[in-house]
PDB file of all heavy atoms in Angstrom:
ATOM      1  N   VAL O   1    -168.183   9.037-248.226  1.00 98.00           N
ATOM      2  CA  VAL O   1    -166.789   9.456-248.369  1.00 98.00           C
ATOM      3  C   VAL O   1    -166.152   9.778-247.027  1.00 98.00           C
ATOM      4  O   VAL O   1    -165.104   9.272-246.648  1.00 98.00           O
ATOM      5  CB  VAL O   1    -166.734  10.746-249.333  1.00 98.00           C
ATOM      6  CG1 VAL O   1    -165.317  11.203-249.406  1.00 98.00           C
ATOM      7  CG2 VAL O   1    -167.219  10.326-250.716  1.00 98.00           C
ATOM      8  N   ALA O   2    -166.802  10.744-246.304  1.00 98.00           N
ATOM      9  CA  ALA O   2    -166.233  11.200-245.004  1.00 98.00           C
ATOM     10  C   ALA O   2    -167.324  11.807-244.194  1.00 98.00           C
ATOM     11  O   ALA O   2    -168.269  12.341-244.730  1.00 98.00           O
ATOM     12  CB  ALA O   2    -165.089  12.183-245.308  1.00 98.00           C
ATOM     13  N   ALA O   3    -167.060  11.851-242.886  1.00 96.00           N
ATOM     14  CA  ALA O   3    -168.027  12.515-241.978  1.00 96.00           C
ATOM     15  C   ALA O   3    -167.188  13.097-240.815  1.00 96.00           C
ATOM     16  O   ALA O   3    -166.098  12.643-240.492  1.00 96.00           O
ATOM     17  CB  ALA O   3    -169.068  11.522-241.444  1.00 96.00           C
ATOM     18  N   ILE O   4    -167.829  14.088-240.135  1.00 94.00           N
ATOM     19  CA  ILE O   4    -167.186  14.721-239.062  1.00 94.00           C
ATOM     20  C   ILE O   4    -168.207  15.077-237.927  1.00 94.00           C
ATOM     21  O   ILE O   4    -169.362  15.429-238.293  1.00 94.00           O
ATOM     22  CB  ILE O   4    -166.409  15.966-239.453  1.00 94.00           C
ATOM     23  CG1 ILE O   4    -165.597  16.560-238.238  1.00 94.00           C
ATOM     24  CG2 ILE O   4    -167.354  16.959-240.089  1.00 94.00           C
ATOM     25  CD1 ILE O   4    -164.602  17.610-238.779  1.00 94.00           C
ATOM     26  N   SER O   5    -167.893  14.878-236.753  1.00 89.00           N
ATOM     27  CA  SER O   5    -168.798  15.249-235.639  1.00 89.00           C
ATOM     28  C   SER O   5    -168.959  16.709-235.513  1.00 89.00           C
ATOM     29  O   SER O   5    -168.051  17.492-236.047  1.00 89.00           O
ATOM     30  CB  SER O   5    -168.332  14.662-234.297  1.00 89.00           C
ATOM     31  OG  SER O   5    -167.018  15.239-233.957  1.00 89.00           O
ATOM     32  N   TRP O   6    -169.934  17.213-234.825  1.00 79.00           N
ATOM     33  CA  TRP O   6    -170.186  18.619-234.692  1.00 79.00           C
ATOM     34  C   TRP O   6    -168.983  19.343-234.113  1.00 79.00           C
ATOM     35  O   TRP O   6    -168.601  20.413-234.613  1.00 79.00           O
ATOM     36  CB  TRP O   6    -171.420  18.892-233.849  1.00 79.00           C
ATOM     37  CG  TRP O   6    -171.679  20.349-233.673  1.00 79.00           C
ATOM     38  CD1 TRP O   6    -172.376  21.145-234.518  1.00 79.00           C
ATOM     39  CD2 TRP O   6    -171.216  21.157-232.596  1.00 79.00           C
ATOM     40  NE1 TRP O   6    -172.469  22.480-234.026  1.00 79.00           N
ATOM     41  CE2 TRP O   6    -171.720  22.464-232.842  1.00 79.00           C
ATOM     42  CE3 TRP O   6    -170.505  20.902-231.473  1.00 79.00           C
ATOM     43  CZ2 TRP O   6    -171.481  23.543-231.973  1.00 79.00           C
ATOM     44  CZ3 TRP O   6    -170.206  21.937-230.604  1.00 79.00           C
ATOM     45  CH2 TRP O   6    -170.716  23.263-230.874  1.00 79.00           C
ATOM     46  N   SER O   7    -168.395  18.738-233.085  1.00 76.00           N
ATOM     47  CA  SER O   7    -167.283  19.358-232.478  1.00 76.00           C
ATOM     48  C   SER O   7    -166.014  19.278-233.224  1.00 76.00           C
ATOM     49  O   SER O   7    -165.033  19.960-232.985  1.00 76.00           O
ATOM     50  CB  SER O   7    -167.068  18.722-231.084  1.00 76.00           C
ATOM     51  OG  SER O   7    -166.622  17.355-231.258  1.00 76.00           O
ATOM     52  N   GLY O   8    -165.916  18.417-234.221  1.00 75.00           N
ATOM     53  CA  GLY O   8    -164.758  18.218-235.041  1.00 75.00           C
ATOM     54  C   GLY O   8    -163.827  17.251-234.380  1.00 75.00           C
ATOM     55  O   GLY O   8    -162.686  16.990-235.010  1.00 75.00           O
ATOM     56  N   GLY O   9    -164.196  16.685-233.278  1.00 82.00           N
ATOM     57  CA  GLY O   9    -163.276  15.738-232.635  1.00 82.00           C
ATOM     58  C   GLY O   9    -163.247  14.321-233.182  1.00 82.00           C
ATOM     59  O   GLY O   9    -162.244  13.642-232.893  1.00 82.00           O
ATOM     60  N   SER O  10    -164.178  13.968-234.026  1.00 93.00           N
ATOM     61  CA  SER O  10    -164.202  12.663-234.612  1.00 93.00           C
ATOM     62  C   SER O  10    -164.360  12.742-236.080  1.00 93.00           C
ATOM     63  O   SER O  10    -165.294  13.511-236.501  1.00 93.00           O
ATOM     64  CB  SER O  10    -165.316  11.793-233.913  1.00 93.00           C
ATOM     65  OG  SER O  10    -165.065  11.607-232.516  1.00 93.00           O
ATOM     66  N   THR O  11    -163.573  11.960-236.809  1.00 96.00           N
ATOM     67  CA  THR O  11    -163.735  11.955-238.289  1.00 96.00           C
ATOM     68  C   THR O  11    -163.762  10.548-238.718  1.00 96.00           C
ATOM     69  O   THR O  11    -163.221   9.565-238.100  1.00 96.00           O
ATOM     70  CB  THR O  11    -162.627  12.704-238.949  1.00 96.00           C
ATOM     71  OG1 THR O  11    -161.368  12.149-238.563  1.00 96.00           O
ATOM     72  CG2 THR O  11    -162.595  14.203-238.608  1.00 96.00           C
ATOM     73  N   TYR O  12    -164.418  10.330-239.879  1.00 97.00           N
ATOM     74  CA  TYR O  12    -164.510   8.987-240.482  1.00 97.00           C
ATOM     75  C   TYR O  12    -164.376   9.050-241.963  1.00 97.00           C
ATOM     76  O   TYR O  12    -164.759  10.043-242.560  1.00 97.00           O
ATOM     77  CB  TYR O  12    -165.896   8.422-240.102  1.00 97.00           C
ATOM     78  CG  TYR O  12    -166.311   8.519-238.662  1.00 97.00           C
ATOM     79  CD1 TYR O  12    -166.946   9.679-238.236  1.00 97.00           C
ATOM     80  CD2 TYR O  12    -166.058   7.548-237.773  1.00 97.00           C
ATOM     81  CE1 TYR O  12    -167.288   9.792-236.901  1.00 97.00           C
ATOM     82  CE2 TYR O  12    -166.426   7.697-236.403  1.00 97.00           C
ATOM     83  CZ  TYR O  12    -167.025   8.804-236.013  1.00 97.00           C
ATOM     84  OH  TYR O  12    -167.356   8.948-234.637  1.00 97.00           O
ATOM     85  N   TYR O  13    -163.719   8.041-242.498  1.00 98.00           N
ATOM     86  CA  TYR O  13    -163.362   8.065-243.920  1.00 98.00           C
ATOM     87  C   TYR O  13    -163.591   6.680-244.566  1.00 98.00           C
ATOM     88  O   TYR O  13    -163.397   5.595-243.896  1.00 98.00           O
ATOM     89  CB  TYR O  13    -161.900   8.433-244.114  1.00 98.00           C
ATOM     90  CG  TYR O  13    -161.540   9.765-243.620  1.00 98.00           C
ATOM     91  CD1 TYR O  13    -161.005  10.019-242.390  1.00 98.00           C
ATOM     92  CD2 TYR O  13    -161.744  10.912-244.519  1.00 98.00           C
ATOM     93  CE1 TYR O  13    -160.656  11.246-241.967  1.00 98.00           C
ATOM     94  CE2 TYR O  13    -161.361  12.161-244.056  1.00 98.00           C
ATOM     95  CZ  TYR O  13    -160.840  12.329-242.783  1.00 98.00           C
ATOM     96  OH  TYR O  13    -160.470  13.611-242.396  1.00 98.00           O
ATOM     97  N   ALA O  14    -164.056   6.750-245.745  1.00 98.00           N
ATOM     98  CA  ALA O  14    -164.114   5.491-246.568  1.00 98.00           C
ATOM     99  C   ALA O  14    -162.662   5.089-246.853  1.00 98.00           C
ATOM    100  O   ALA O  14    -161.725   5.878-246.950  1.00 98.00           O
ATOM    101  CB  ALA O  14    -164.829   5.734-247.879  1.00 98.00           C
ATOM    102  N   ASP O  15    -162.418   3.737-246.925  1.00 98.00           N
ATOM    103  CA  ASP O  15    -161.091   3.197-247.126  1.00 98.00           C
ATOM    104  C   ASP O  15    -160.497   3.716-248.389  1.00 98.00           C
ATOM    105  O   ASP O  15    -159.319   3.952-248.508  1.00 98.00           O
ATOM    106  CB  ASP O  15    -161.219   1.668-247.175  1.00 98.00           C
ATOM    107  CG  ASP O  15    -161.418   1.032-245.832  1.00 98.00           C
ATOM    108  OD1 ASP O  15    -161.229   1.725-244.794  1.00 98.00           O
ATOM    109  OD2 ASP O  15    -161.838  -0.099-245.840  1.00 98.00           O
ATOM    110  N   SER O  16    -161.310   3.965-249.409  1.00 97.00           N
ATOM    111  CA  SER O  16    -160.776   4.421-250.671  1.00 97.00           C
ATOM    112  C   SER O  16    -160.167   5.866-250.675  1.00 97.00           C
ATOM    113  O   SER O  16    -159.417   6.175-251.548  1.00 97.00           O
ATOM    114  CB  SER O  16    -161.872   4.412-251.732  1.00 97.00           C
ATOM    115  OG  SER O  16    -162.959   5.237-251.370  1.00 97.00           O
ATOM    116  N   VAL O  17    -160.461   6.632-249.590  1.00 98.00           N
ATOM    117  CA  VAL O  17    -159.961   8.024-249.611  1.00 98.00           C
ATOM    118  C   VAL O  17    -159.069   8.281-248.322  1.00 98.00           C
ATOM    119  O   VAL O  17    -158.527   9.387-248.214  1.00 98.00           O
ATOM    120  CB  VAL O  17    -161.094   9.041-249.533  1.00 98.00           C
ATOM    121  CG1 VAL O  17    -162.002   8.795-250.750  1.00 98.00           C
ATOM    122  CG2 VAL O  17    -161.929   8.995-248.310  1.00 98.00           C
ATOM    123  N   LYS O  18    -158.914   7.284-247.522  1.00 97.00           N
ATOM    124  CA  LYS O  18    -158.049   7.461-246.342  1.00 97.00           C
ATOM    125  C   LYS O  18    -156.658   7.872-246.725  1.00 97.00           C
ATOM    126  O   LYS O  18    -156.038   7.270-247.643  1.00 97.00           O
ATOM    127  CB  LYS O  18    -158.042   6.213-245.448  1.00 97.00           C
ATOM    128  CG  LYS O  18    -159.296   6.030-244.641  1.00 97.00           C
ATOM    129  CD  LYS O  18    -159.119   4.794-243.766  1.00 97.00           C
ATOM    130  CE  LYS O  18    -160.379   4.495-242.939  1.00 97.00           C
ATOM    131  NZ  LYS O  18    -160.281   3.315-242.095  1.00 97.00           N
ATOM    132  N   GLY O  19    -156.108   8.832-246.068  1.00 97.00           N
ATOM    133  CA  GLY O  19    -154.787   9.300-246.389  1.00 97.00           C
ATOM    134  C   GLY O  19    -154.635  10.312-247.474  1.00 97.00           C
ATOM    135  O   GLY O  19    -153.573  10.899-247.698  1.00 97.00           O
ATOM    136  N   ARG O  20    -155.777  10.534-248.149  1.00 98.00           N
ATOM    137  CA  ARG O  20    -155.808  11.423-249.338  1.00 98.00           C
ATOM    138  C   ARG O  20    -156.799  12.623-249.010  1.00 98.00           C
ATOM    139  O   ARG O  20    -156.520  13.753-249.460  1.00 98.00           O
ATOM    140  CB  ARG O  20    -156.176  10.762-250.629  1.00 98.00           C
ATOM    141  CG  ARG O  20    -155.267   9.691-251.046  1.00 98.00           C
ATOM    142  CD  ARG O  20    -155.530   9.198-252.429  1.00 98.00           C
ATOM    143  NE  ARG O  20    -156.887   8.591-252.530  1.00 98.00           N
ATOM    144  CZ  ARG O  20    -157.804   9.058-253.357  1.00 98.00           C
ATOM    145  NH1 ARG O  20    -157.592  10.061-254.148  1.00 98.00           N
ATOM    146  NH2 ARG O  20    -158.972   8.459-253.395  1.00 98.00           N
ATOM    147  N   PHE O  21    -157.869  12.313-248.429  1.00 98.00           N
ATOM    148  CA  PHE O  21    -158.955  13.367-248.085  1.00 98.00           C
ATOM    149  C   PHE O  21    -158.946  13.723-246.627  1.00 98.00           C
ATOM    150  O   PHE O  21    -158.657  12.854-245.788  1.00 98.00           O
ATOM    151  CB  PHE O  21    -160.310  12.832-248.484  1.00 98.00           C
ATOM    152  CG  PHE O  21    -160.555  12.641-249.953  1.00 98.00           C
ATOM    153  CD1 PHE O  21    -159.496  12.707-250.920  1.00 98.00           C
ATOM    154  CD2 PHE O  21    -161.832  12.367-250.406  1.00 98.00           C
ATOM    155  CE1 PHE O  21    -159.765  12.516-252.307  1.00 98.00           C
ATOM    156  CE2 PHE O  21    -162.076  12.184-251.787  1.00 98.00           C
ATOM    157  CZ  PHE O  21    -161.042  12.243-252.659  1.00 98.00           C
ATOM    158  N   THR O  22    -159.241  14.967-246.352  1.00 98.00           N
ATOM    159  CA  THR O  22    -159.378  15.408-244.947  1.00 98.00           C
ATOM    160  C   THR O  22    -160.670  16.264-244.843  1.00 98.00           C
ATOM    161  O   THR O  22    -160.909  17.176-245.601  1.00 98.00           O
ATOM    162  CB  THR O  22    -158.177  16.285-244.591  1.00 98.00           C
ATOM    163  OG1 THR O  22    -156.971  15.537-244.701  1.00 98.00           O
ATOM    164  CG2 THR O  22    -158.326  16.734-243.134  1.00 98.00           C
ATOM    165  N   ILE O  23    -161.550  15.867-243.864  1.00 97.00           N
ATOM    166  CA  ILE O  23    -162.702  16.629-243.636  1.00 97.00           C
ATOM    167  C   ILE O  23    -162.514  17.492-242.370  1.00 97.00           C
ATOM    168  O   ILE O  23    -161.834  17.110-241.424  1.00 97.00           O
ATOM    169  CB  ILE O  23    -163.916  15.693-243.456  1.00 97.00           C
ATOM    170  CG1 ILE O  23    -165.214  16.414-243.330  1.00 97.00           C
ATOM    171  CG2 ILE O  23    -163.730  14.798-242.254  1.00 97.00           C
ATOM    172  CD1 ILE O  23    -166.435  15.570-243.359  1.00 97.00           C
ATOM    173  N   SER O  24    -163.034  18.697-242.447  1.00 95.00           N
ATOM    174  CA  SER O  24    -162.976  19.648-241.293  1.00 95.00           C
ATOM    175  C   SER O  24    -164.228  20.466-241.355  1.00 95.00           C
ATOM    176  O   SER O  24    -165.028  20.427-242.247  1.00 95.00           O
ATOM    177  CB  SER O  24    -161.721  20.498-241.406  1.00 95.00           C
ATOM    178  OG  SER O  24    -161.716  21.233-242.615  1.00 95.00           O
ATOM    179  N   ARG O  25    -164.348  21.283-240.264  1.00 90.00           N
ATOM    180  CA  ARG O  25    -165.506  22.143-240.197  1.00 90.00           C
ATOM    181  C   ARG O  25    -165.277  23.357-239.420  1.00 90.00           C
ATOM    182  O   ARG O  25    -164.382  23.435-238.506  1.00 90.00           O
ATOM    183  CB  ARG O  25    -166.737  21.417-239.665  1.00 90.00           C
ATOM    184  CG  ARG O  25    -166.614  21.050-238.177  1.00 90.00           C
ATOM    185  CD  ARG O  25    -167.896  20.306-237.694  1.00 90.00           C
ATOM    186  NE  ARG O  25    -169.096  21.176-237.846  1.00 90.00           N
ATOM    187  CZ  ARG O  25    -170.351  20.674-237.832  1.00 90.00           C
ATOM    188  NH1 ARG O  25    -170.528  19.391-237.592  1.00 90.00           N
ATOM    189  NH2 ARG O  25    -171.402  21.488-237.976  1.00 90.00           N
ATOM    190  N   ASP O  26    -166.007  24.425-239.706  1.00 87.00           N
ATOM    191  CA  ASP O  26    -166.027  25.701-238.993  1.00 87.00           C
ATOM    192  C   ASP O  26    -167.451  25.776-238.361  1.00 87.00           C
ATOM    193  O   ASP O  26    -168.400  26.074-239.066  1.00 87.00           O
ATOM    194  CB  ASP O  26    -165.757  26.877-239.993  1.00 87.00           C
ATOM    195  CG  ASP O  26    -165.721  28.156-239.268  1.00 87.00           C
ATOM    196  OD1 ASP O  26    -166.323  28.361-238.197  1.00 87.00           O
ATOM    197  OD2 ASP O  26    -164.960  29.095-239.727  1.00 87.00           O
ATOM    198  N   VAL O  27    -167.497  25.482-237.079  1.00 77.00           N
ATOM    199  CA  VAL O  27    -168.733  25.395-236.421  1.00 77.00           C
ATOM    200  C   VAL O  27    -169.486  26.788-236.437  1.00 77.00           C
ATOM    201  O   VAL O  27    -170.675  26.819-236.647  1.00 77.00           O
ATOM    202  CB  VAL O  27    -168.532  24.901-234.959  1.00 77.00           C
ATOM    203  CG1 VAL O  27    -169.900  24.980-234.241  1.00 77.00           C
ATOM    204  CG2 VAL O  27    -167.949  23.533-234.922  1.00 77.00           C
ATOM    205  N   GLY O  28    -168.760  27.819-236.156  1.00 80.00           N
ATOM    206  CA  GLY O  28    -169.391  29.135-236.169  1.00 80.00           C
ATOM    207  C   GLY O  28    -170.073  29.581-237.492  1.00 80.00           C
ATOM    208  O   GLY O  28    -170.973  30.302-237.476  1.00 80.00           O
ATOM    209  N   ARG O  29    -169.514  29.068-238.514  1.00 80.00           N
ATOM    210  CA  ARG O  29    -169.989  29.368-239.867  1.00 80.00           C
ATOM    211  C   ARG O  29    -170.841  28.284-240.466  1.00 80.00           C
ATOM    212  O   ARG O  29    -171.296  28.422-241.553  1.00 80.00           O
ATOM    213  CB  ARG O  29    -168.842  29.701-240.860  1.00 80.00           C
ATOM    214  CG  ARG O  29    -168.099  30.857-240.432  1.00 80.00           C
ATOM    215  CD  ARG O  29    -166.721  30.947-241.165  1.00 80.00           C
ATOM    216  NE  ARG O  29    -166.944  30.920-242.600  1.00 80.00           N
ATOM    217  CZ  ARG O  29    -165.921  30.707-243.512  1.00 80.00           C
ATOM    218  NH1 ARG O  29    -164.695  30.493-243.036  1.00 80.00           N
ATOM    219  NH2 ARG O  29    -166.229  30.697-244.728  1.00 80.00           N
ATOM    220  N   ASN O  30    -171.063  27.242-239.705  1.00 83.00           N
ATOM    221  CA  ASN O  30    -171.889  26.118-240.185  1.00 83.00           C
ATOM    222  C   ASN O  30    -171.416  25.568-241.575  1.00 83.00           C
ATOM    223  O   ASN O  30    -172.176  25.403-242.446  1.00 83.00           O
ATOM    224  CB  ASN O  30    -173.406  26.396-240.252  1.00 83.00           C
ATOM    225  CG  ASN O  30    -174.000  26.485-238.896  1.00 83.00           C
ATOM    226  OD1 ASN O  30    -173.571  25.818-237.938  1.00 83.00           O
ATOM    227  ND2 ASN O  30    -175.109  27.332-238.800  1.00 83.00           N
TER     228      ASN O  30
END
């Protein structure tokens, strides 16, 4: 579905969810 680098600088999405889903992360809280 989606992936994100540890830093949050790079994200990747499946074509089926692009434009609808957003992945993010809080590094300090894992």
Side-chain angles (χ1 to χ4, degrees):
V1 176
I4 187 169
S5 63
W6 178 87
S7 67
S10 299
T11 57
Y12 311 88
Y13 298 94
D15 289 341
S16 60
V17 305
K18 284 182 178 178
R20 299 189 298 120
F21 291 11
T22 302
I23 188 170
S24 61
R25 69 180 300 165
D26 184 330
V27 176
R29 296 165 56 194
N30 286 332

